[in-house]
Amino acid sequence: LVAYSAILHYDVKDVFNSKPQDTTQLVCVLRQTELAGILSLVYALLLHDGPPRHSFIPPILPPHILSITAAAMRTINNVSILNLKIVQTCLGAEGISLEFRHVISFLL
């Protein structure tokens, strides 16, 4: 998904004004599947014990978890370049927005 979404966004000149033709229907599929469940996957990998406590010191993550998380964030970024409105809608959905906040808080 990272490579595919990266290839598609090369035609985008202005993120906020242009609407490139999505002949592959990738953006439509990602909207229908809540970004292909990418954020839920990252949430499950990073926060399988629930949200961290206030005095929580995050564990050192294995390289494979870090690479999956980085690929997921790159994919979300690439899709945002393709269609920012779709990503904002998906990340603002009821369950996903909470997962997004927990993941970002954990990563920061």
Side-chain angles (χ1 to χ4, degrees):
L1 272 174
V2 174
Y4 194 59
S5 60
I7 289 171
L8 289 176
H9 90 262
Y10 279 115
D11 291 337
V12 178
K13 303 294 186 261
D14 184 0
V15 176
F16 298 106
N17 293 327
S18 66
K19 297 291 182 208
Q21 294 294 333
D22 183 18
T23 57
T24 63
Q25 299 299 311
L26 176 67
V27 175
C28 181
V29 169
L30 290 174
R31 180 186 62 215
Q32 296 297 324
T33 60
E34 294 180 333
L35 299 175
I38 293 171
L39 197 59
S40 297
L41 170 70
V42 172
Y43 181 83
L45 288 173
L46 296 179
L47 302 164
H48 53 84
D49 292 331
R53 311 290 181 253
H54 290 291
S55 62
F56 178 73
I57 298 172
I60 296 175
L61 298 171
H64 64 280
I65 300 292
L66 289 175
S67 66
I68 292 170
T69 302
M73 293 300 130
R74 279 193 302 271
T75 301
I76 291 172
N77 184 54
N78 290 340
V79 175
S80 297
I81 292 170
L82 285 173
N83 195 320
L84 184 60
K85 200 70 129 169
I86 295 294
V87 174
Q88 288 174 336
T89 302
C90 288
L91 294 180
E94 190 172 329
I96 301 295
S97 66
L98 185 61
E99 286 181 355
F100 182 68
R101 286 193 312 247
H102 286 304
V103 166
I104 297 303
S105 295
F106 182 84
L107 293 174
L108 289 175

